[in-house]
Amino acid sequence: MEEISIEEVENNDRELLEVAPALISVHPFEKSVVVAIGPELRVFDLEETDPMNIVEAYSNVLTVLCLFLCFCLDRGSRQISIVDDSGDPLHSHSIRAICFGANGSLFASAGDDKLVKIWSADSWKCIRTVLSEKRVSAVAISHDGLFVSFADKFGVVWVVGFGGDNEKNKAAPIFAHYCSIITSLLFSPDGRFIVSADRDFKIRATVFPRKPLNGAHEIQSFCLGHTEYISCLVFICTLEYPKGFLLSGSGDSTVRLWDFTSGSLLSTCEVGVQAGLVESNGKDEVLCPAVTDICASPDGSVVAVAIQRQIVTMGDIFSPTSLDMGSFGMHIWLVTGASNLPSFDSASLACVKVVSGFQKDSPHFTEHGPVMLENNDIPGGDKLLETMQGSISIENERKALGTAIEAVKKAMHNLLIKRQYSDEKREFRKRGRNDRKLKQ
Amino acid sequence: MSKTNPKANKASGLPRKRFYRARAHSNPLSDSHFPVPISPSHVDYSLHFPHYFPSVKNDDKNNAKVFFPKASSKKIQFADIGCGFGGLLVDLSTLFPETLMIGMEIRDKVTEYVKERVLALREGNPGQYQNISVVRTNSMKYIPNYFEKGQLSKMFFLFPDPHFKEKNHRRRVISPQLLDEYAYTLEVGGIIYTITDVEELGEWMKNCLEGHPLFEAIGEEELNADPVVKLLSSATEEGKKVARNEGQTFLAVARRIASSVETEFGK
Ligand SMILES: C[S@@+](CC[C@H](N)C(=O)[O-])C[C@H]1O[C@@H](n2cnc3c(N)ncnc32)[C@H](O)[C@@H]1O
């Protein structure tokens, strides 16, 4: 009896592992937004047909305000058809990681099909496709745009040189977390370090050398303190501390603040408790909802955290699978959804929301703090929603979406939570393993 | 403890190995099921080195807490990775009586054996063997959980499992990637000692060390002067076995050097 149920659980696990959360990434200057769902990239251009100089706007609050108004009035926004005439393969399985480069000219996507694709974030042409040996779980672009780094399911971090002489080079392994799944990869604000986080509660800051293809051997620090897998990382920078601080979210329901140069834990925020989401089931067990994603305005004045179950704002129950924020720190872009539900044949479902009103000069600023924008007020409006979600309104799909999100939750749990088997089960698993069977 | 240990030798009080025999190999890739300290500051030194770190005691008469402040700053400085039955630790213990050292071993029963062995030695030799201990852990995953940056001055890898097949090379305890972690753990000037009786593995470990920018090979002369080097082939159970069979051994010893990248940034 017992034995059968273990087998069943394992088979189910395998199916669930394939379900991937929908991801969202916003251009650093909010020129465009990308949603990745399954193998699909949905890109939406937020700029006017006559693009203004965003970089200038960045340094000038007044212009930023104008830009924001433009977003609202703008009817020139459009869906971008991404072009891949490189002849390289397209994504065929779930995308697991996406990111923009710091200056917004490059975009990278990677995932279960072992492809790392690098795109021009202007023309949305695929400039380069790199074949990984294993499934890819995280990706990052160096600030100078010269290197793309990615991590595979076996904990190996690779780098590909980009531009110049590096054009033809293959990906080279630069360091590894020993046989752990790397969940997040990020360059420090000054570009000197690459930070990686894994399923074994570890965050590692490694010096990113000038010639990274020879390997990144010098570990600056380990940031240790989480008691479950790390799901997400983000940097914040203040004028007084331009090196930046690191924030990490975890399956342990906390967000922690680190001085990553020394590895010291500076502060722990029990997000799950604060959101009133930590429940006790009457016995000794406490159910702690996992932190799944985090984003921050560059100066750290706004930090948003996604927790499994529901987002801690607005009373509206919306459980994002991914969130992001441009460097203006004006909007938090949220998406919820899943790919590849084994039992569904309908298109992959996603729901996009935008939260605004953190800044006093924002038209959405209210005394009550940030608000979740009505569909009409979302930059790009209906057109954006149509592109990103597949349809303007997903009201009718609520139930399906709920199922999808539950499936993602399970899948992430199975992928990342360390299983605790009883001794009997462990013995049984050992006996059931094929390699052992052969020997006996 | 060892007083009542039925597995101990009646005369010497030392545990007998045959009661602790275990599977020859453990898979270092499989998920762990032993406790892992969250960070080096969570390692309970009073458990391993009670002589140096007495747990806070309640003095019955006046109910005052007794502290032993001299101990507080001591840290583990030597680690024997894959220590097996612990022969090296035992020999090093008296050679460096004031240095704290720990063995790391993944096999449960073997770890238990070493624990009993140390306890028996402490009992039979009052005041001695207080500086050695053992933990059951997967060293390939959890070294940063036990030691801070630059904490160790010596690391030992004696007769590690060879993992011959190419596809199993990633299970080897010496690899370019794991050397990054060992370099992090060793202080500049610290020494990593490796020895094996498998020529191919000896070649591999030597190449890994020579190819790593944070290690430099140690010359013949210095090796001959180092009292520890003699123990590498004679102290451990595996070493003794090889010596009995008059097998050849292959040694690679290297020093942790400062990084050139570090200076590049003027730090
Ligand atoms: C061949 S024995 C050598 C033991 C001892 N050093 C000696 O010379 O007698 C290798 C030892 O390393 C242990 N070992 C293998 N992989 C390990 C790991 N990942 N972490 C800790 N110990 C490990 C094995 O259990 C075994 O006891």
Side-chain angles (χ1 to χ4, degrees):
Chain A
M1 246 323 275
E2 169 83 330
E3 309 200 341
I4 293 165
S5 69
I6 293 174
E7 285 286 312
E8 266 172 12
V9 169
E10 301 240 304
N11 284 338
N12 268 339
D13 283 2
R14 224 158 284 139
E15 231 170 57
L16 278 169
L17 282 181
E18 305 299 319
V19 184
L23 307 173
I24 195 161
S25 192
V26 57
H27 186 279
F29 311 129
E30 294 212 354
K31 283 165 98 173
S32 51
V33 187
V34 185
V35 164
I37 185 156
E40 222 184 304
L41 280 177
R42 299 172 181 170
V43 185
F44 194 84
D45 184 4
L46 288 167
E47 278 199 306
E48 280 185 297
T49 29
D50 174 24
M52 58 191 297
N53 189 339
I54 308 270
V55 182
E56 225 167 73
Y58 182 42
S59 57
N60 185 326
V61 182
L62 260 183
T63 337
V64 173
L65 193 62
C66 294
L67 179 73
F68 186 77
L69 290 171
C70 291
F71 284 153
C72 299
L73 303 172
D74 176 24
R75 297 285 169 253
S77 305
R78 64 204 192 278
Q79 171 181 6
I80 297 174
S81 15
I82 56 172
V83 193
D84 192 352
D85 47 14
S86 58
D88 293 327
L90 302 168
H91 280 302
S92 59
H93 292 86
S94 288
I95 295 167
R96 294 285 181 169
I98 53 175
C99 70
F100 279 96
N103 68 7
S105 62
L106 291 175
F107 178 84
S109 58
D112 287 352
D113 53 16
K114 306 179 187 174
L115 298 182
V116 180
K117 294 185 81 78
I118 298 142
W119 310 80
S120 155
D122 292 319
S123 65
W124 288 99
K125 278 192 173 157
C126 177
I127 339 185
R128 183 93 182 266
T129 302
V130 181
L131 305 181
S132 163
E133 286 171 22
K134 303 269 157 46
R135 293 179 180 204
V136 181
S137 57
V139 69
I141 300 170
S142 70
H143 295 332
D144 56 14
L146 294 179
F147 298 98
V148 171
S149 182
F150 62 92
D152 69 30
K153 281 289 243 308
F154 282 70
V156 180
V157 177
W158 303 74
V159 73
V160 279
F162 208 64
D165 300 339
N166 292 317
E167 205 66 55
K168 288 280 168 285
N169 292 347
K170 282 184 18 191
I174 54 169
F175 67 90
H177 289 218
Y178 190 76
C179 296
S180 189
I181 298 173
I182 293 180
T183 52
S184 186
L185 206 54
L186 208 58
F187 284 92
S188 66
D190 61 9
R192 283 179 47 195
F193 301 98
I194 182 164
V195 181
S196 43
D198 71 24
R199 178 191 180 217
D200 288 289
F201 322 170
K202 270 200 196 90
I203 301 169
R204 165 177 161 163
T206 309
V207 174
F208 193 74
R210 299 248 163 99
K211 293 181 181 158
L213 294 167
N214 299 333
H217 301 289
E218 196 186 338
I219 301 172
Q220 176 66 26
S221 71
F222 283 98
C223 301
L224 303 174
H226 279 297
T227 55
E228 260 305 337
Y229 67 87
I230 321 279
S231 53
C232 47
L233 298 174
V234 72
F235 275 104
I236 53 175
C237 250
T238 61
L239 277 178
E240 305 81 62
Y241 202 74
K243 262 184 177 177
F245 294 102
L246 182 67
L247 282 164
S248 59
S250 154
D252 68 9
S253 214
T254 68
V255 168
R256 292 176 206 251
L257 180 72
W258 309 91
D259 174 356
F260 68 96
T261 40
S262 68
S264 326
L265 175 61
L266 301 175
S267 175
T268 299
C269 177
E270 307 266 351
V271 189
V273 174
Q274 291 203 358
L277 288 172
V278 173
E279 302 160 8
S280 166
N281 64 359
K283 297 175 205 139
D284 287 343
E285 277 171 70
V286 183
L287 308 171
C288 297
V291 171
T292 53
D293 204 0
I294 188 167
C295 69
S297 59
D299 65 355
S301 59
V302 181
V303 176
V305 172
I307 313 183
Q308 263 165 3
R309 248 162 240 228
Q310 66 185 76
I311 184 167
V312 203
T313 48
M314 285 91 358
D316 213 329
I317 295 184
F318 179 84
S319 177
T321 50
S322 166
L323 42 79
D324 198 15
M325 200 173 203
S327 49
F328 302 136
M330 285 215 301
H331 304 111
I332 302 172
W333 291 82
L334 314 153
V335 71
T336 190
S339 67
N340 283 357
L341 269 194
S343 48
F344 284 156
D345 3 283
S346 60
S348 299
L349 294 161
C351 176
V352 171
K353 298 269 184 203
V354 174
V355 174
S356 181
F358 314 103
Q359 291 159 334
K360 286 227 164 55
D361 47 18
S362 150
H364 299 286
F365 180 80
T366 68
E367 291 307 310
H368 314 294
V371 287
M372 192 174 275
L373 300 185
E374 295 295 328
N375 284 357
N376 288 342
D377 295 333
I378 290 180
D382 285 350
K383 277 191 195 158
L384 175 129
L385 292 177
E386 205 173 348
T387 310
M388 297 313 202
Q389 305 186 149
S391 85
I392 297 174
S393 166
I394 50 132
E395 281 309 307
N396 300 334
E397 324 279 356
R398 266 186 188 271
K399 207 164 151 240
L401 201 56
T403 319
I405 290 157
E406 271 312 300
V408 168
K409 209 165 109 184
K410 274 223 183 74
M412 297 316 281
H413 185 90
N414 290 338
L415 187 67
L416 296 171
I417 292 274
K418 297 266 197 169
R419 275 162 243 202
Q420 297 294 340
Y421 294 111
S422 66
D423 282 347
E424 303 88 81
K425 280 191 187 168
R426 185 180 305 285
E427 272 312 305
F428 171 76
R429 281 170 56 80
K430 264 188 218 155
R431 266 183 277 134
R433 264 179 26 207
N434 289 336
D435 51 337
R436 308 212 124 246
K437 266 184 205 149
L438 289 177
K439 276 183 209 155
Q440 277 160 8
Chain B
M1 277 162 273
S2 58
K3 269 182 212 145
T4 54
N5 185 356
K7 295 172 195 166
N9 180 310
K10 293 266 153 38
S12 67
L14 287 173
R16 282 172 297 174
K17 246 195 299 185
R18 68 185 156 101
F19 289 110
Y20 298 88
R21 210 146 296 178
R23 272 196 297 140
H25 294 283
S26 273
N27 180 357
L29 308 192
S30 75
D31 266 358
S32 65
H33 39 275
F34 38 79
V36 176
I38 290 168
S39 79
S41 63
H42 291 79
V43 177
D44 186 349
Y45 274 57
S46 70
L47 223 62
H48 292 291
F49 311 106
H51 175 78
Y52 293 94
F53 299 84
S55 33
V56 179
K57 280 184 205 153
N58 263 324
D59 192 334
D60 280 348
K61 278 170 212 142
N62 50 18
N63 219 11
K65 286 182 177 168
V66 184
F67 290 96
F68 295 80
K70 70 152 195 185
S72 57
S73 64
K74 241 180 157 49
K75 283 183 180 158
I76 296 167
Q77 284 183 292
F78 295 180
D80 183 5
I81 312 301
C83 67
F85 293 100
L88 179 72
L89 290 167
V90 172
D91 281 12
L92 286 174
S93 175
T94 46
L95 198 57
F96 299 88
E98 286 306 314
T99 305
L100 300 188
M101 26 190 132
I102 201 146
M104 298 187 131
E105 174 51 58
I106 201 167
R107 286 183 292 170
D108 192 17
K109 295 218 174 100
V110 177
T111 315
E112 283 308 310
Y113 171 86
V114 179
K115 268 186 204 159
E116 295 296 340
R117 183 175 182 180
V118 172
L119 288 177
L121 282 168
R122 286 178 184 173
E123 213 156 288
N125 307 273
Q128 284 189 293
Y129 300 104
Q130 297 293 340
N131 58 336
I132 55 174
S133 188
V134 67
V135 284
R136 178 179 181 211
T137 198
N138 184 346
S139 68
M140 295 164 95
K141 273 195 144 154
Y142 300 115
I143 279 189
N145 296 67
Y146 282 90
F147 312 114
E148 289 161 10
K149 188 177 190 174
Q151 182 179 328
L152 297 181
S153 57
K154 292 186 193 300
M155 288 181 97
F156 298 92
F157 297 83
L158 310 194
F159 302 96
D161 298 331
H163 297 293
F164 287 108
K165 280 189 233 139
E166 168 102 37
K167 82 169 172 52
N168 284 338
H169 283 181
R170 64 197 184 95
R171 296 189 185 187
R172 287 181 167 169
V173 285
I174 299 286
S175 70
Q177 288 90 5
L178 285 169
L179 281 180
D180 296 348
E181 280 192 18
Y182 306 153
Y184 162 87
T185 313
L186 281 168
E187 63 183 7
V188 170
I191 298 178
I192 182 169
Y193 299 86
T194 73
I195 190 169
T196 176
D197 58 327
V198 178
E199 183 166 10
E200 183 207 324
L201 179 65
E203 202 54 33
W204 163 277
M205 296 198 290
K206 194 160 163 260
N207 288 340
C208 285
L209 282 166
E210 279 173 4
H212 199 284
L214 297 177
F215 288 103
E216 82 183 359
I218 289 183
E220 193 83 18
E221 215 170 295
E222 197 182 332
L223 284 186
N224 292 336
D226 184 345
V228 169
V229 169
K230 290 164 197 70
L231 298 180
L232 303 180
S233 55
S234 68
T236 68
E237 289 59 27
E238 205 62 38
K240 289 188 172 117
K241 200 157 83 190
V242 173
R244 261 200 312 277
N245 300 333
E246 290 170 27
Q248 229 188 323
T249 55
F250 306 89
L251 192 76
V253 181
R255 190 188 342 267
R256 162 75 154 95
I257 52 172
S259 135
S260 50
V261 186
E262 250 168 2
T263 49
E264 207 174 296
F265 289 106
K267 280 262 149 171

